Amino acid sequence: MASVPIIPDSYNHVLAEFECLDPLLSALRLDSSRLKCTCIAVSKRWLALGSSGGGLNLIQKDGWKQRLFLAHKEGAISRVACCLHDEDYVAVATSQGLVVVWELNQERRGKPERIYVSSEHKGRKVTALCWDRAALRVFVGDHVGKVSAIKINTSKQGKAAATFVMFPVQIITTVDSRVVQLDYLDGRLLISSLTRTYLCDTEREKFWKIGNKERDGEFGACFFPVGKNGGNQQPLIYCARPGSRMWEVNFDGEVQSTHQFKQLLSSPPLPVVTLRLDPHYTSSSCSPQSLSFPKLLYLTEHCVMTWTERGIYIFLPQNVQVLLWSEVKDIQDIAVYKNELFCLHTNGKVVHLSLLLVDRCIERLIRRGFWTLAARVCCLFQNSIISCRARKNLPLDKLEHLKSQLDASTQQDVITQLEELISKLEPLDSACSSRRSSISSHESFSVLDSGIYRVISRRGSQSDEDSCSLHSQTFSEDERLKEFPAHQEDEQVELDNVSHASVTVEADRNETFLPFSIPLSFRSPSPLVSLQAVKESVSSFVRKTTEKIGTLHISPDTRGRQEAKDDEQLQELTVNLVASPQEEKELEPQSCQLPEEDHLRDLKAATAEAIAKLQDPLVLLEPRCMRRVLQEWLIYLEEKFGSRERSDSSIKKSKTVCTEKERAVLEESLRLDPTDGDPADKEQSSILEDCAEKENTDETCVSEAVYENSTDLKGPLDCCFQVSPPCVIEQDVHKDLVELTTLCFELRVFSCGNGKAEESSDGSLPLAASWTLACRFMRTYFFLLDLKRLKQCIITMYATSPHVWETYIAGLKELTCHSPAALAMENEDMLKILKQLHDLGPWDDSPLLLVHAQRLYEKFGETALRPLIKFHPSILPSDIKQLCRNDPAHFLAYLDSLVKSKPEDKRSFLLRSLLQPESVRLDWLCLAVSHDAPQRANTVDPEGNPRPRSHLFTWGYSQLILLLIKLPADFVTKEKMADICKSHGFWPGYLFLCLELDRRIEAFTNIAHLDDLSLLNGEDGSMPETTEEWKFLLHLAQNHSTAFHHRGPQNGNAVSNGSPSCPDCITVENVALLLAKAIGPNRALPLLQECGLTLELSERFSSVCEILRIAEKRQRALIQSMLERCDRFLWSQQA
């Protein structure tokens, strides 16, 4: 195994992203190409996001629940600033240079109101906003260097305050260049421009220039407040200088020293801990960085933060140290509050980062259940974890538990590195030493004969918060992490949903209170098991215990967390899932009565035989032979896993076929099917005749199946699902069973309930019986079906049977009923649910995400569909169409939003990838032209021809329609699309398809009816190419009567009949002018004379032709002179 670079122990901080804000931006509609986030600000309570549409979104950070929207008609939002000492006030700068101050009235639960609008900077670009930290005053700076202050008079100050504020806007100063940054502290205003930094005493109205040397470019400056232990020390000022330098300035504006960070920035960047990418670290040093810091921001205690186009940099300026720097590219702006960073990128995305100690970062990852990421961070920051402080926050219990949560088959390299780290923390110098000996020094223990450790705790030596309880230790850490109010609810939910590797036993209730349910070496998890040896690790003990009795006691919370994994892992893990405690009690004696080998011996043998037969090419390539093999195997499967009710009823049934009673039941089942129509009657009679003819055959059991199906038809969704196996199944056997069971469903080989099997693929069953058999098969063998293939099979084969899809969704709901996302559906809002689903990812193409989308749609309706575009391609449009089958308009809105979420140059590629199969193109086109479209009577006349100017109507999904039409397709598909466009009156698409199909005459005929000359000479138009086409177009224009050119208002500009005031109408003169421009007046006149149209031309035509002749003559003379000059130049060069 290749060695992984380890980060030096000098780095003990890291930037981490624990939550993704993409669902939030999607819900706010700030992720489209039309509307983007333009600026950002943050306070203790609010996250403020300004948009290009003039709206300001204020989102409450605590749970991202409450939202305020402040609209501005003065242009896009360019700057926003929150008042930190009174969060009821927000200042906003617009693109027109106006500054608006809002009072939110949250305490009085009133509506937000504008309390002041400043036009002092109107017509200029506001580049900086800053609030006074004590009074209600806003400082504003613009691109010409003007700085003003707005004194706020509010209702909170009383009516008397208005008499003392005569001039609410005060001009502070005008500096020599654009204002880059403003900062305020204790009566001093710091102004950083392109050339230098100024310090202003706003009370005494004094100004100082900081330093003597000027600079050229964007360089920030900020105050550095005194910490809690600073005593009487004055605040400092830090000013950015060229070449990765900073000036340290005292509070009077005097430069004390210059700090150089160029060489220190030659160290490699630290990775950002995020779920988007695995953290990687390169130990090789890079070249020294000479940077310009555009802004400086004070971050927590002793830290100053800045950024460039390459990354984020955090300094300890007093110690002249680089705390860390990480590569985060394309940053437009950053807003900070304490240790939180909200990064606005140039594409409008917002990323939420936190500056944390490495051990606290790992601890939060463990609490959220991000095991793999936590393990990789542990391996990278080994040196920091080995330190004393890290070991206090990350004891060996948590590291052992973390290792036990990793998958040994796919993450062996991470497990090996984690074991090396654990071995470094505690050397194995004694075989009798416990790995838990380093938990606390104030506890003693004795080893019993059973291997259980008896612990004697001396609680007097430490507080209760630190004594022998991981739970209290975790909550003591929470007390130290009070700066994270936005995550308290999320972390509490995640604390409840941590995957418990230990066994929950009724006799030991205390184990359930551990946040990490680890059976410690001194606490026995169950009387049924014991430690085999003292030197065995706790992780191996957990694994072995789980293998023995995990199927009996794993909690439903475990199942909820495991559902976010891919389907292959899902099929392996469903062996260990139990749907409810009642089922658990029923399954205990069942699984203990017979050994696994004896219980499934026949099924294993039949499975191996069936797989061997299916590998024969003669069987594999012949569907009928495959069905016969599956029929024989299905008998054994039903014998072991078939429902008890069907097995009892099968004994009572007679093997005689087609009795009169069963005929009546068959007819009743056929009448219950609403989708058959008239063909069903013929099919019904044919089935009855087949039953009479095949009276003595055993090949099919139609009547017996329908006898059972008649009961299922009444309520196919009422029966419970078998989502977990009734006994333990080996992984290899389970994999083979899943393959064969899914193949049975795909080939429609279903059970009859009497020890035989029935296939319906050859059409011998009616539609009602077919989907009823499919529903019953899913309910019985849901735990043995590949959910991905099952979903695809239902979409393609049972598109006309909604009951099959409903049964599939009901099974997924049963499987995920205890998941955190399902539980959150009841009480949480949509944003929090979407965030939780995003955090549970990546989903890949897991069907489990689909059932959560179904729940969201059922609860929130159409508003829940648009944010789901962020989960593409885990959720496909075909899935959404199934969800919205009762309301196609919702699906159409989702599809349009999904396409528009991509850049224009990538929309065609995306749409083409979604057209699987190709036949859905026509279905989507029919939906798009029939929703949010003009009335057909307004676009098509009674003869079926276009109405004049009807192509100018607005179609809600015109972009989607044109994309569908312009994608490559075969000739037949294009003809069908042309017919659809013509029948609905979508003339732009119809004209395009006519030209694609080389039906040019038909295109010109419709252009004449539309009466718009721009369709011929516009960007999307098509000029006639041959003399015959010109003659045809001239005759079309001649046949237009004067009544055709309508007067009054219409679907475009008003026109009159053939006069010079209607240059865009299809008239003889306009077409003749177009002809003259295309081929020249000398060639156009003979053609017009040949058509006999010269008498219909006015003097305007003759004048234009004369101008064209003069222009053509001059153009020829100019070309001739240029050619002569070129000729002379070439001869001179040759000489």
Side-chain angles (χ1 to χ4, degrees):
M1 181 186 67
S3 60
V4 178
I6 300 176
I7 297 175
D9 56 356
S10 58
Y11 298 103
N12 53 9
H13 286 75
V14 70
L15 289 174
E17 180 188 13
F18 296 103
E19 55 186 356
C20 179
L21 298 184
D22 289 348
L24 175 64
L25 296 179
S26 177
L28 298 177
R29 302 200 172 186
L30 292 178
D31 57 345
S32 63
S33 58
R34 182 180 62 86
L35 199 64
K36 288 186 178 181
C37 184
T38 55
C39 56
I40 189 170
V42 67
S43 64
K44 180 180 180 181
R45 181 180 183 182
W46 299 107
L47 172 63
L49 301 175
S51 70
S52 56
L56 177 66
N57 294 276
L58 290 171
I59 305 98
Q60 191 171 354
K61 289 165 56 181
D62 187 7
W64 310 109
K65 293 181 179 178
Q66 186 176 357
R67 173 206 171 194
L68 295 177
F69 182 78
L70 308 179
H72 302 80
K73 298 181 180 179
E74 297 84 0
I77 308 299
S78 59
R79 293 287 168 184
V80 60
C82 300
C83 184
L84 298 181
H85 65 276
D86 191 343
E87 294 189 292
D88 213 25
Y89 298 93
V90 177
V92 176
T94 68
S95 58
Q96 297 179 7
L98 298 179
V99 179
V100 184
V101 181
W102 289 83
E103 184 177 2
L104 304 181
N105 294 322
Q106 290 296 294
E107 297 178 358
R108 294 175 292 180
R109 297 186 178 180
K111 293 184 178 180
E113 57 180 339
R114 297 188 179 196
I115 57 177
Y116 193 80
V117 178
S118 172
S119 58
E120 189 65 37
H121 302 267
K122 186 175 182 180
R124 301 175 181 177
K125 181 180 180 181
V126 176
T127 56
L129 285 178
C130 177
W131 278 89
D132 191 326
R133 301 197 182 187
L136 290 178
R137 182 168 52 171
V138 184
F139 298 97
V140 186
D142 60 26
H143 76 286
V144 299
K146 187 176 183 179
V147 180
S148 66
I150 305 174
K151 179 68 176 178
I152 308 301
N153 179 30
T154 70
S155 57
K156 295 181 180 181
Q157 298 171 337
K159 296 181 180 180
T163 60
F164 296 99
V165 184
M166 301 299 296
F167 304 100
V169 179
Q170 176 187 2
I171 305 300
I172 300 296
T173 184
T174 300
V175 296
D176 54 357
S177 59
R178 178 164 64 93
V179 176
V180 177
Q181 187 176 359
L182 294 175
D183 199 5
Y184 185 86
L185 180 67
D186 296 343
R188 304 286 176 94
L189 178 65
L190 193 62
I191 306 171
S192 180
S193 68
L194 294 176
T195 57
R196 60 172 66 248
T197 304
Y198 302 87
L199 183 62
C200 308
D201 189 334
T202 57
E203 297 176 359
R204 301 178 182 179
E205 297 184 357
K206 293 184 178 181
F207 302 89
W208 299 272
K209 293 181 181 179
I210 297 179
N212 297 322
K213 296 181 180 180
E214 293 187 353
R215 63 199 182 192
D216 185 14
E218 292 190 2
F219 295 90
C222 70
F223 286 107
F224 193 83
V226 180
K228 298 180 180 179
N229 301 325
N232 297 326
Q233 183 180 357
Q234 282 190 329
L236 297 175
I237 300 172
Y238 286 99
C239 305
R241 298 292 299 169
S244 302
R245 291 179 297 167
M246 284 187 200
W247 274 345
E248 183 176 305
V249 185
N250 62 18
F251 207 54
D252 296 326
E254 300 173 352
V255 179
Q256 303 295 313
S257 59
T258 302
H259 301 322
Q260 175 63 262
F261 296 97
K262 181 176 179 180
Q263 297 297 328
L264 296 176
L265 291 176
S266 61
S267 59
L270 294 186
V272 176
V273 178
T274 175
L275 296 175
R276 305 171 191 264
L277 297 171
D278 288 336
H280 294 286
Y281 176 75
T282 304
S283 58
S284 58
S285 300
C286 55
S287 59
Q289 302 183 55
S290 180
L291 305 174
S292 300
F293 304 140
K295 283 187 181 180
L296 296 181
L297 299 176
Y298 176 74
L299 183 67
T300 66
E301 228 175 302
H302 309 304
C303 295
V304 171
M305 190 275 298
T306 186
W307 73 90
T308 64
E309 59 183 7
R310 182 177 180 183
I312 297 176
Y313 305 84
I314 301 178
F315 304 101
L316 297 174
Q318 290 180 305
N319 301 332
V320 196
Q321 293 180 357
V322 178
L323 184 68
L324 64 86
W325 81 273
S326 300
E327 283 189 337
V328 182
K329 298 184 178 180
D330 300 327
I331 296 178
Q332 176 180 331
D333 196 5
I334 294 181
V336 301
Y337 180 77
K338 292 189 177 180
N339 71 323
E340 292 182 290
L341 289 76
F342 290 86
C343 306
L344 173 62
H345 290 261
T346 53
N347 58 0
K349 300 297 182 182
V350 179
V351 177
H352 181 197
L353 302 177
S354 299
L355 177 64
L356 294 173
L357 288 168
V358 172
D359 51 348
R360 292 187 179 180
C361 173
I362 297 172
E363 187 180 21
R364 291 185 65 180
L365 290 174
I366 293 176
R367 281 189 300 182
R368 290 172 176 260
F370 302 141
W371 311 111
T372 304
L373 184 58
R376 293 190 181 278
V377 176
C378 285
C379 298
L380 285 175
F381 289 90
Q382 292 186 24
N383 296 325
S384 298
I385 296 176
I386 295 174
S387 64
C388 296
R389 178 165 181 170
R391 290 190 62 178
K392 181 179 179 181
N393 295 329
L394 282 177
L396 283 173
D397 305 80
K398 294 182 181 179
L399 296 179
E400 289 281 4
H401 175 65
L402 175 60
K403 188 183 75 170
S404 67
Q405 295 299 321
L406 302 178
D407 189 356
S409 60
T410 60
Q411 299 171 323
Q412 187 59 42
D413 55 340
V414 182
I415 294 177
T416 304
Q417 297 177 39
L418 206 55
E419 289 176 347
E420 294 177 359
L421 172 60
I422 295 174
S423 64
K424 294 178 182 178
L425 292 176
E426 181 182 10
L428 297 174
D429 53 352
S430 174
C432 297
S433 64
S434 171
R435 285 192 174 182
R436 297 290 176 260
S437 61
S438 61
I439 294 178
S440 61
S441 60
H442 61 280
E443 293 177 345
S444 61
F445 55 87
S446 59
V447 184
L448 304 181
D449 295 336
S450 61
I452 299 176
Y453 282 67
R454 178 183 180 185
V455 178
I456 304 172
S457 176
R458 307 186 190 97
R459 295 184 179 271
S461 59
Q462 276 190 341
S463 64
D464 292 339
E465 292 182 356
D466 297 329
S467 58
C468 71
S469 174
L470 288 174
H471 191 52
S472 61
Q473 185 178 9
T474 303
F475 277 92
S476 65
E477 278 299 315
D478 288 344
E479 293 297 328
R480 293 194 294 269
L481 292 174
K482 288 183 178 179
E483 61 268 23
F484 306 109
H487 313 297
Q488 289 177 357
E489 294 184 7
D490 296 346
E491 291 175 0
Q492 185 63 31
V493 173
E494 292 163 359
L495 200 62
D496 297 334
N497 297 329
V498 172
S499 176
H500 296 271
S502 67
V503 181
T504 307
V505 183
E506 295 292 330
D508 193 355
R509 296 287 185 181
N510 294 330
E511 281 292 323
T512 60
F513 293 101
L514 290 175
F516 306 94
S517 295
I518 310 170
L520 302 182
S521 56
F522 49 86
R523 300 182 71 172
S524 175
S526 170
L528 301 178
V529 293
S530 62
L531 296 173
Q532 296 180 359
V534 177
K535 64 179 180 179
E536 288 185 351
S537 65
V538 175
S539 59
S540 61
F541 170 70
V542 172
R543 226 176 276 121
K544 292 181 180 180
T545 307
T546 307
E547 290 176 359
K548 291 182 179 180
I549 58 175
T551 57
L552 304 181
H553 299 288
I554 288 183
S555 63
D557 293 339
T558 307
R559 179 177 60 192
R561 184 187 64 80
Q562 289 170 339
E563 69 189 29
K565 298 183 179 180
D566 55 18
D567 284 355
E568 183 178 355
Q569 293 175 337
L570 170 70
Q571 297 296 340
E572 298 173 6
L573 290 175
T574 49
V575 180
N576 299 323
L577 299 178
V578 178
S580 63
Q582 289 77 9
E583 293 181 11
E584 180 179 334
K585 294 179 181 179
E586 295 174 2
L587 293 176
E588 278 189 20
Q590 181 180 356
S591 60
C592 298
Q593 286 177 357
L594 289 174
E596 180 187 356
E597 293 77 6
D598 298 334
H599 187 60
L600 300 178
R601 179 186 303 163
D602 297 339
L603 181 59
K604 289 181 180 179
T607 301
E609 182 181 358
I611 291 177
K613 291 181 179 179
L614 291 175
Q615 292 177 351
D616 186 358
L618 298 178
V619 177
L620 189 63
L621 299 177
E622 181 59 42
R624 184 172 296 275
C625 297
M626 291 181 64
R627 295 190 188 99
R628 189 178 300 111
V629 172
L630 292 174
Q631 288 171 3
E632 297 173 356
W633 171 80
L634 196 57
I635 298 175
Y636 294 92
L637 181 68
E638 175 152 335
E639 180 183 349
K640 299 302 179 184
F641 298 124
S643 61
R644 187 173 302 173
E645 291 77 3
R646 287 201 311 275
S647 62
D648 294 340
S649 63
S650 63
I651 299 176
K652 299 178 183 179
K653 293 181 182 178
S654 174
K655 293 186 179 180
T656 60
V657 188
C658 292
T659 63
E660 294 298 328
K661 180 178 179 181
E662 291 169 344
R663 287 173 180 266
V665 172
L666 176 59
E667 294 173 359
E668 178 183 359
S669 67
L670 291 174
R671 287 196 300 271
L672 287 175
D673 184 16
T675 59
D676 285 351
D678 294 337
D681 298 335
K682 299 179 180 179
E683 188 177 7
Q684 172 184 345
S685 60
S686 64
I687 294 171
L688 294 175
E689 292 173 2
D690 292 341
C691 290
E693 292 173 0
K694 300 179 180 180
E695 186 173 357
N696 298 321
T697 61
D698 295 334
E699 196 165 299
T700 59
C701 305
V702 177
S703 63
E704 295 177 355
V706 174
Y707 180 79
E708 291 182 354
N709 296 339
S710 62
T711 60
D712 293 341
L713 272 168
K714 300 177 182 178
L717 303 179
D718 295 337
C719 301
C720 60
F721 285 80
Q722 187 68 34
V723 296
S724 59
C727 63
V728 178
I729 305 176
E730 295 178 2
Q731 181 176 347
D732 296 338
V733 177
H734 184 271
K735 185 177 180 181
D736 295 338
L737 292 178
V738 168
E739 179 65 30
L740 292 179
T741 309
T742 307
L743 196 59
C744 285
F745 189 89
E746 292 172 340
L747 296 178
R748 300 188 183 185
V749 179
F750 301 128
S751 168
C752 285
N754 63 340
K756 297 180 181 180
E758 175 183 355
E759 53 92 8
S760 61
S761 60
D762 57 352
S764 62
L765 279 181
L767 184 59
S770 176
W771 68 254
T772 307
L773 285 171
C775 294
R776 189 189 67 189
F777 189 85
M778 277 193 290
R779 291 195 301 270
T780 306
Y781 305 112
F782 199 79
F783 67 100
L784 291 177
L785 289 169
D786 187 333
L787 300 182
K788 294 181 185 178
R789 291 167 55 186
L790 182 64
K791 181 190 73 172
Q792 192 62 33
C793 178
I794 293 173
I795 292 176
T796 55
M797 298 176 60
Y798 294 94
T800 59
S801 301
H803 300 83
V804 181
W805 177 264
E806 292 172 1
T807 305
Y808 174 70
I809 293 296
L812 292 177
K813 288 183 177 179
E814 179 71 19
L815 182 64
T816 61
C817 60
H818 296 291
S819 67
L823 298 176
M825 295 285 179
E826 302 176 1
N827 303 320
E828 304 296 343
D829 59 354
M830 187 175 66
L831 291 181
K832 191 164 186 179
I833 297 172
L834 290 169
K835 173 183 170 299
Q836 190 172 14
L837 289 177
H838 192 278
D839 293 341
L840 287 173
W843 291 93
D844 297 330
D845 53 348
S846 172
L848 299 178
L849 179 60
L850 180 62
V851 71
H852 297 313
Q854 174 76 30
R855 291 190 176 102
L856 277 172
Y857 180 67
E858 292 173 356
K859 183 173 182 180
F860 300 104
E862 183 184 3
T863 57
L865 292 182
R866 192 177 185 278
L868 293 179
I869 63 177
K870 292 299 179 184
F871 295 98
H872 179 268
S874 299
I875 295 182
L876 296 172
S878 57
D879 303 329
I880 300 297
K881 189 176 182 181
Q882 289 289 338
L883 300 185
C884 310
R885 60 185 179 276
N886 296 327
D887 199 339
H890 293 176
F891 162 73
L892 202 58
Y894 166 83
L895 181 62
D896 188 59
S897 299
L898 176 62
V899 173
K900 289 181 179 179
S901 66
K902 301 295 182 182
E904 291 187 5
D905 57 337
K906 297 182 180 179
R907 291 177 183 177
S908 298
F909 177 78
L910 171 66
L911 192 58
R912 189 173 184 179
S913 65
L914 299 178
L915 296 176
Q916 300 294 335
E918 184 70 22
S919 58
V920 301
R921 183 205 297 248
L922 299 177
D923 299 336
W924 292 0
L925 182 60
C926 290
L927 284 176
V929 297
S930 58
H931 288 81
D932 197 6
Q935 295 293 330
R936 187 177 185 276
N938 296 331
T939 59
V940 183
D941 62 13
E943 290 78 16
N945 297 320
R947 290 190 180 274
R949 305 302 177 98
S950 59
H951 64 290
L952 300 177
F953 273 114
T954 300
W955 294 69
Y957 299 104
S958 59
Q959 296 184 20
L960 179 62
I961 297 172
L962 291 175
L963 284 174
L964 288 170
I965 289 173
K966 293 181 180 180
L967 287 178
D970 55 74
F971 186 83
V972 177
T973 303
K974 288 182 179 180
E975 284 189 328
K976 293 180 179 178
M977 290 192 297
D979 295 339
I980 293 173
C981 291
K982 183 177 182 180
S983 62
H984 289 83
F986 185 71
W987 303 117
Y990 179 68
L991 294 177
F992 174 82
L993 289 170
C994 284
L995 297 175
E996 287 279 312
L997 296 170
D998 202 21
R999 288 151 51 171
R1000 300 178 61 83
I1001 300 300
E1002 188 174 351
F1004 294 141
T1005 304
N1006 284 275
I1007 290 175
H1009 284 288
L1010 291 171
D1011 194 26
D1012 190 354
L1013 197 66
S1014 63
L1015 296 175
L1016 291 172
N1017 60 0
E1019 295 180 358
D1020 298 330
S1022 175
M1023 294 281 287
E1025 297 176 352
T1026 62
T1027 304
E1028 288 73 15
E1029 290 181 357
W1030 280 110
K1031 290 181 180 180
F1032 179 78
L1033 187 59
L1034 287 168
H1035 285 299
L1036 286 176
Q1038 184 182 18
N1039 294 334
H1040 273 52
S1041 64
T1042 57
F1044 182 81
H1045 297 294
H1046 40 278
R1047 295 179 175 86
Q1050 52 183 338
N1051 303 325
N1053 300 324
V1055 298
S1056 58
N1057 180 23
S1059 64
S1061 62
C1062 55
D1064 55 346
C1065 296
I1066 301 292
T1067 62
V1068 173
E1069 184 169 326
N1070 288 339
V1071 176
L1073 287 173
L1074 190 63
L1075 173 64
K1077 293 177 183 178
I1079 65 176
N1082 295 330
R1083 295 177 58 191
L1085 282 174
L1087 184 60
L1088 292 172
Q1089 292 174 356
E1090 182 181 348
C1091 297
L1093 300 176
T1094 54
L1095 298 177
E1096 299 186 17
L1097 303 177
S1098 64
E1099 295 181 359
R1100 174 173 169 266
F1101 176 78
S1102 302
S1103 302
V1104 173
C1105 287
E1106 189 64 31
I1107 294 173
L1108 290 175
R1109 289 190 186 96
I1110 296 173
E1112 185 178 357
K1113 184 177 180 181
R1114 290 186 177 182
Q1115 188 176 11
R1116 289 178 178 175
L1118 179 62
I1119 295 174
Q1120 182 65 28
S1121 63
M1122 292 179 63
L1123 290 175
E1124 291 176 356
R1125 290 182 181 181
C1126 292
D1127 186 63
R1128 287 196 299 267
F1129 173 77
L1130 293 175
W1131 279 109
S1132 65
Q1133 293 295 322
Q1134 188 176 10

